[in-house]
């Protein structure tokens, strides 16, 4: 072939000959692309209107008007609950059942399921009351199911004139924002014109929450009677809320076997994952952290690959445990029942949104294993309802006495049930005349709740893994029985396998306000003895990751405490490596029992008071505390106050105000059992 590159005439001739060919090709391609584009646009526009999203809204299948439901069923008392662990819901149900004894009719209601703007219409119902049983979660936060109601109250300006209400708050006095949610709703409703008909009740879980509730309730109902001019009916008989249905020929695919919401959801997992749809995370690591001693402290890693679950340092992981099969079988043996009988407990109130006390149909074995709390001491209402089945008059008398508000009854309940840590099995064993029908027992027992653990990892470093640090709970009671924590003992036995069958844990993420500062240059001071170290493992990992990304990171200081250096110094190698590489600016460890005089983290804070004060006062350090809220957190807070008083010349009141300016944060302690 001739080379035409050096011949202008040849080049010109080639261009002339080739021009028509490329022009037709360009035209063809342009026409083809344009045609496809037009077709796609037309097709897309035709397809867009097809989904009728409004028709698919789930609200169409559920009644969202509580006013309409109250009118339809003749109810005049509605008890709303904000509940994270089930206690608020349990108290609401008890108050709703109480109403009949005073010639009234009540219903318990989840504010998440109803249109709360209807509250102003409660005046349309004669002699009506709205009762609120509201728990406070974390650092003064509302529970998940009361979050929307809380936001609406804050933003709205409704007129509640004529609406009558009262509030019982559930909290823990060792936390700074004690009963914040209940206090806020009580105050806000009054500001919006509602009429408080009885004083705010304050329940303290650090003391005796049950006694607080019973005492408040015993005074509340007489006040209601006086307000409306009605009298108690005197009817104290037990009222069943559910009726038993036994299934004999049900397809096994229609029977719940531990699922929390959707049937077969554990076999066919679908995101998003939450409290009603937990993800089955495989356990990839389960190792003992302590080198010696009689306790068992453990580190677990859960694989969340493919789940689309996201978490941040400081969040909590919730796990759903199951009860010990030994206890389940013993209850079945004592009551003489076939635990594998398939049953449903159906609500007698057909209008109720809550059709069953737990997922049904199910077997008694599944209910006692997955759904019901059989290890915590039962509350007084359970004893009262079960008393009718005791054949010994003395047993009946004592059970009813413990459910009363009399000083003798309270003292008996405190000593015989609470102080002796008697669960329902122990009560059945110690009261041979008490043999209730198992269906009524299952109706009365509270739901088995998820256990929350501070996540001990950073998603920046471990995006597909969640780490847990926990201590196994096991102790001997005054009756000589050995009680074991449900979740920690269950987790202890969740060992990874390499035989192709995954060991899994049902879990979901609960978001937290316990967060690293937005600016990485802010110093952080972390105080976390024992398993309180958990969230700080995630914090330190994240600060290290930020350094690797070239970010400027402020001082990262940790105060950790344990009993003995050679026994329970958790994550020792990891922490010492973090210090060696400069991720941890300072690692301060208090070994409380390695010397004659006990040394705790607060002592080390005072020892390093100049450095602490410089970080807090001059460098705007953020302070984080995670651990025993009853003692340690208070002692640590006082140590910071004393440093501010001594080196900052502040009064105690001024030191207290410094708390907000320095971002003093409290984490959830891993008290899950």
């Amino acid at each position: 072939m001739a080379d035409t590159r050096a011949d202008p005439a040849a080049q010109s001739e080639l261009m002339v000959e080739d021009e028509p060919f490329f022009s037709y090709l360009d035209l063809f391609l342009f026409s083809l692309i344009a045609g496809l584009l037009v077709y796609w646009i037309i097709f897309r526009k035709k397809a867009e209107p097809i989904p009728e999203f409004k028709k698919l809204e789930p609200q169409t299948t559920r009644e969202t008007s509580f006013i309409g439901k109250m009118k339809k069923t003749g109810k005049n008392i509605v008890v709303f609950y904000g509940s994270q662990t089930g206690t608020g819901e349990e108290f609401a149900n008890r108050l709703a059942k109480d109403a009949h004894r005073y010639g009234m009719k009540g219903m318990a209601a989840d504010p998440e399921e109803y249109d709360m703007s209807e509250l102003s219409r409660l005046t349309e119902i004669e002699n009506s009351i709205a009762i609120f049983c509201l728990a406070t979660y974390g650092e003064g936060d509302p529970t998940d199911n009361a979050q929307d109601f809380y936001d609406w109250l804050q933003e709205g300006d409704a007129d509640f004139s004529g609406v009558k209400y009262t509030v019982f708050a559930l909290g823990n006095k060792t936390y700074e924002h004690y009963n914040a949610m209940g206090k806020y709703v009580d105050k806000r409703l009054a500001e919006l014109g509602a009429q408080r008909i009885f004083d705010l009740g304050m329940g303290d879980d650090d003391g005796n929450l049950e006694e607080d509730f019973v005492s408040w309730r015993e005074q509340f109902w007489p006040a209601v009677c006086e307000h409306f001019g009605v009298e108690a009916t005197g009817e104290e008989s037990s009222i069943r809320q559910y009726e038993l249905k036994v299934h004999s020929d049900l397809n096994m695919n229609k029977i719940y076997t531990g699922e929390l919401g959707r049937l077969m959801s554990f076999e066919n997992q679908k995101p998003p994952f939450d409290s009603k749809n937990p993800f089955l995370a495989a356990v990839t690591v389960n190792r003992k952290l302590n080198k010696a001693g009689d306790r068992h402290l453990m580190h677990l890693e859960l694989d969340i690959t493919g789940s689309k679950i996201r978490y941040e340092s400081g969040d909590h992981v919730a796990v759903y445990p199951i009860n010990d099969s030994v206890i389940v079988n013993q209850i079945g043996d004592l009551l003489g029942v076939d635990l594998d009988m398939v049953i449903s407990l159906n609500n007698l109130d057909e209008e109720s949104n809550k059709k069953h006390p737990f997922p049904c149909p199910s077997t008694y074995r599944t209910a006692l294993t997955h759904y019901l709390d059989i290890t915590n001491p039962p509350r007084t209402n359970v004893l009262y309802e079960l008393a009718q089945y005791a054949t010994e008059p003395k047993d009946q008398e004592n059970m009813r006495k413990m459910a009363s508000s009399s000083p003798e009854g309270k003292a008996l309940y405190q000593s015989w049930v609470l102080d002796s840590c008697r669960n329902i099995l122990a009560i059945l064993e110690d009261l041979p005349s008490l043999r209730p029908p198992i269906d009524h027992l299952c109706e009365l027992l509270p739901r088995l709740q998820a256990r929350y653990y501070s996540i001990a990892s950073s998603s920046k470093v471990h995006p597909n893994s969640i780490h847990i640090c926990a201590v196994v709970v096991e102790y001997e009671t005054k009756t000589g029985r050995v009680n074991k924590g449900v979740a920690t003992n269950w987790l202890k036995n969740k060992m990874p396998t390499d035989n192709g069958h995954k060991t899994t844990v049902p879990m979901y993420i609960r978001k937290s306000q316990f967060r690293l500062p937005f600016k990485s240059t802010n110093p952080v001071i972390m105080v976390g003895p024992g398993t309180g170290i958990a969230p700080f493992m995630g914090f330190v990992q994240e600060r290290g990751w930020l350094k690797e990304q070239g970010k400027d990171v402020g001082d990262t200081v940790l105060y950790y405490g344990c009993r003995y250096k050679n026994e329970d110094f958790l994550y020792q190698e990891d922490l010492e490596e973090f210090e060696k590489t400069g991720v941890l600016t300072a690692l301060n460890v208090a070994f409380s029992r390695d010397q004659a005089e006990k040394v705790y983290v607060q002592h080390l804070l005072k020892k390093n008071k100049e450095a602490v004060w410089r970080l807090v006062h001059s460098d705007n350090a953020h302070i984080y505390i995670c651990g025993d809220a009853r003692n340690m957190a208070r002692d640590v807070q006082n140590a910071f106050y004393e440093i501010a008083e001594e080196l900052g010349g502040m009064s105690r009141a001024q030191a207290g105000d410094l708390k907000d300016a320095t971002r003093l944060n409290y984490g959830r302690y891993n008290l899950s059992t």
Side-chain angles (χ1 to χ4, degrees):
M1 180 180 290
D3 185 358
T4 61
R5 287 176 295 181
D7 187 344
Q11 282 185 320
S12 176
E13 185 178 53
L14 184 62
M15 288 173 65
V16 170
E17 288 178 359
D18 288 346
E19 272 177 5
F21 174 77
F22 284 106
S23 297
Y24 291 138
L25 179 61
D26 290 345
L27 186 61
F28 171 76
L29 290 173
F30 176 80
S31 301
L32 179 64
I33 292 169
L36 289 171
L37 185 62
V38 170
Y39 176 81
W40 178 79
I41 291 172
I42 294 172
F43 177 82
R44 185 188 64 166
K45 285 185 176 179
K46 286 180 179 178
E48 273 183 344
I50 291 175
E52 294 280 345
F53 292 113
K54 290 183 179 180
K55 294 180 181 179
L56 300 177
E57 290 180 356
Q59 284 85 348
T60 56
T61 59
R62 171 165 286 189
E63 177 66 70
T64 61
S65 170
F66 69 88
I67 294 294
K69 181 169 288 189
M70 290 175 74
K71 289 180 176 180
K72 186 176 181 180
T73 57
K75 305 272 179 35
N76 61 336
I77 293 180
V78 58
V79 192
F80 294 106
Y81 58 85
S83 184
Q84 196 69 30
T85 62
T87 308
E89 181 180 1
E90 181 189 333
F91 285 179
N93 284 323
R94 288 164 68 174
L95 288 169
K97 285 181 72 173
D98 280 345
H100 87 282
R101 298 187 177 115
Y102 302 90
M104 302 178 177
K105 293 185 72 176
M107 62 175 272
D110 183 344
E112 195 173 38
E113 296 181 350
Y114 292 99
D115 179 4
M116 294 303 289
S117 66
E118 284 195 334
L119 199 56
S120 58
R121 292 180 52 205
L122 196 60
T123 53
E124 298 173 12
I125 299 173
E126 189 178 0
N127 288 355
S128 59
I129 315 170
I131 306 172
F132 295 85
C133 290
L134 300 172
T136 298
Y137 181 82
E139 292 305 303
D141 304 319
T143 58
D144 290 345
N145 75 309
Q147 183 69 55
D148 291 343
F149 173 55
Y150 173 75
D151 293 341
W152 178 73
L153 275 183
Q154 282 191 311
E155 299 162 4
D157 55 354
D159 181 5
F160 292 146
S161 299
V163 174
K164 298 174 175 63
Y165 80 95
T166 190
V167 177
F168 183 81
L170 299 84
N172 189 307
K173 198 176 286 182
T174 60
Y175 284 81
E176 180 186 3
H177 303 283
Y178 173 51
N179 278 333
M181 180 61 178
K183 291 175 182 176
Y184 172 76
V185 171
D186 179 63
K187 177 173 174 285
R188 184 63 175 150
L189 290 177
E191 289 173 349
L192 294 173
Q195 180 185 357
R196 183 189 300 110
I197 64 167
F198 193 66
D199 294 337
L200 169 68
M202 299 281 276
D204 178 20
D205 198 34
D206 184 54
N208 188 329
L209 183 60
E210 175 70 12
E211 183 176 317
D212 294 337
F213 174 69
V214 170
S215 298
W216 177 86
R217 170 179 165 235
E218 292 291 327
Q219 299 173 61
F220 164 68
W221 285 115
V224 171
C225 290
E226 183 178 350
H227 183 87
F228 290 117
V230 298
E231 293 184 5
T233 62
E235 186 181 346
E236 295 290 333
S237 60
S238 171
I239 299 175
R240 292 293 300 267
Q241 189 176 350
Y242 299 91
E243 64 177 350
L244 172 67
K245 178 176 177 58
V246 178
H247 304 280
S248 57
D249 55 355
L250 206 58
N251 187 310
M252 292 302 291
N253 292 329
K254 303 293 184 183
I255 301 171
Y256 282 88
T257 57
E259 303 94 330
L260 277 302
R262 179 173 53 88
L263 193 65
M264 307 291 286
S265 60
F266 288 162
E267 285 74 20
N268 184 19
Q269 294 248 278
K270 296 178 182 177
F273 298 104
D274 53 27
S275 59
K276 294 181 175 62
N277 182 37
F279 176 67
L280 289 180
V283 178
T284 57
V285 174
N286 185 347
R287 61 185 171 89
K288 188 176 180 180
L289 286 172
N290 51 314
K291 304 177 186 72
D294 55 1
R295 297 187 301 162
H296 185 100
L297 296 114
M298 57 188 175
H299 170 88
L300 287 91
E301 297 182 11
L302 308 180
D303 185 3
I304 56 171
T305 302
S307 67
K308 298 184 179 179
I309 289 174
R310 300 290 179 265
Y311 73 94
E312 294 181 60
S313 299
D315 284 343
H316 307 131
V317 58
V319 302
Y320 282 103
I322 64 173
N323 288 311
D324 188 341
S325 61
V326 173
I327 300 177
V328 172
N329 288 331
Q330 286 176 317
I331 292 174
D333 291 342
L334 279 174
L335 298 182
V337 296
D338 176 10
L339 292 177
D340 296 312
M341 182 185 298
V342 180
I343 57 100
S344 289
L345 290 179
N346 301 321
N347 202 319
L348 291 166
D349 179 1
E350 295 181 357
E351 298 298 324
S352 175
N353 281 357
K354 188 174 182 179
K355 302 303 181 186
H356 316 282
F358 48 81
C360 290
S362 176
T363 65
Y364 285 125
R365 185 182 305 281
T366 297
L368 293 172
T369 302
H370 292 273
Y371 300 137
L372 300 174
D373 185 345
I374 59 176
T375 58
N376 276 316
R379 298 195 186 278
T380 57
N381 67 303
V382 177
L383 299 180
Y384 178 84
E385 296 275 356
L386 293 181
Q388 61 185 305
Y389 301 114
T391 55
E392 284 289 336
K394 188 65 176 174
D395 291 343
Q396 271 200 28
E397 180 187 341
N398 284 334
M399 291 179 74
R400 290 202 168 106
K401 184 188 290 184
M402 286 188 283
S404 74
S405 58
S406 69
E408 297 82 9
K410 289 179 180 179
L412 183 59
Y413 177 72
Q414 181 69 45
S415 62
W416 197 78
V417 177
L418 297 183
D419 294 345
S420 299
C421 301
R422 278 185 170 90
N423 56 31
I424 190 62
L425 174 61
I427 288 172
L428 291 173
E429 288 176 336
D430 293 344
L431 297 178
S433 83
L434 178 64
R435 294 296 180 263
I438 191 169
D439 60 293
H440 198 181
L441 179 64
C442 289
E443 174 181 327
L444 294 170
L445 289 174
R447 287 289 296 269
L448 180 61
Q449 298 296 323
R451 268 51 172 181
Y452 296 92
Y453 298 93
S454 296
I455 296 177
S457 55
S458 165
S459 60
K460 299 291 191 297
V461 181
H462 300 283
N464 294 315
S465 181
I466 287 174
H467 299 182
I468 295 175
C469 171
V471 57
V472 176
V473 177
E474 186 173 319
Y475 58 93
E476 185 174 327
T477 72
K478 290 182 177 180
T479 65
R481 296 178 171 91
V482 175
N483 280 5
K484 297 181 178 182
V486 176
T488 52
N489 280 275
W490 174 71
L491 286 172
K492 177 185 175 183
N493 295 315
K494 287 283 181 179
M495 303 304 296
T497 60
D498 53 7
N499 59 6
H501 178 72
K502 294 181 179 179
T503 302
T504 58
V505 170
M507 53 73 65
Y508 68 95
I509 298 299
R510 213 282 181 176
K511 294 297 179 182
S512 166
Q513 301 301 316
F514 199 63
R515 291 281 184 263
L516 280 167
F518 180 74
K519 293 182 179 179
S520 63
T521 52
N522 280 113
V524 297
I525 301 174
M526 303 167 289
V527 185
T531 55
I533 186 69
F536 302 136
M537 292 303 297
F539 280 15
V540 176
Q541 289 173 15
E542 188 147 327
R543 301 278 275 192
W545 179 84
L546 288 168
K547 275 180 171 281
E548 290 177 356
Q549 305 306 305
K551 303 284 187 183
D552 289 332
V553 178
D555 285 358
T556 304
V557 179
L558 175 65
Y559 285 84
Y560 173 69
C562 60
R563 296 176 182 179
Y564 304 99
K565 181 176 183 178
N566 295 324
E567 183 175 303
D568 54 355
F569 187 173
L570 307 184
Y571 301 108
Q572 178 180 355
E573 294 78 10
D574 296 325
L575 294 174
E576 289 175 347
E577 181 64 22
F578 281 132
E579 185 183 34
K580 181 180 176 182
T581 57
V583 175
L584 271 177
T585 312
L587 172 61
N588 307 279
V589 187
F591 304 109
S592 63
R593 303 182 189 182
D594 268 345
Q595 60 284 313
E597 189 172 329
K598 291 184 177 179
V599 177
Y600 296 113
V601 284
Q602 60 266 28
H603 299 136
L604 296 188
L605 284 166
K606 292 178 187 176
K607 180 181 177 182
N608 300 331
K609 58 187 177 183
E610 287 83 7
V612 169
W613 181 244
R614 175 183 57 78
L615 288 171
V616 171
H617 181 63
S618 304
D619 300 341
N620 193 30
H622 290 225
I623 302 168
Y624 300 87
I625 304 171
C626 185
D628 172 22
R630 182 179 298 168
N631 300 307
M632 183 281 298
R634 191 173 298 159
D635 292 339
V636 167
Q637 179 175 288
N638 288 333
F640 280 110
Y641 289 167
E642 289 169 15
I643 292 171
E645 290 171 19
E646 180 183 346
L647 300 182
M650 296 181 173
S651 67
R652 178 52 65 102
Q654 289 172 321
D657 292 338
L658 188 68
K659 175 178 57 184
D660 296 325
T662 57
R663 302 263 183 147
L664 183 56
N665 301 272
Y666 293 91
R668 170 178 291 274
Y669 186 41
N670 287 321
L671 279 179
S672 297
T673 57

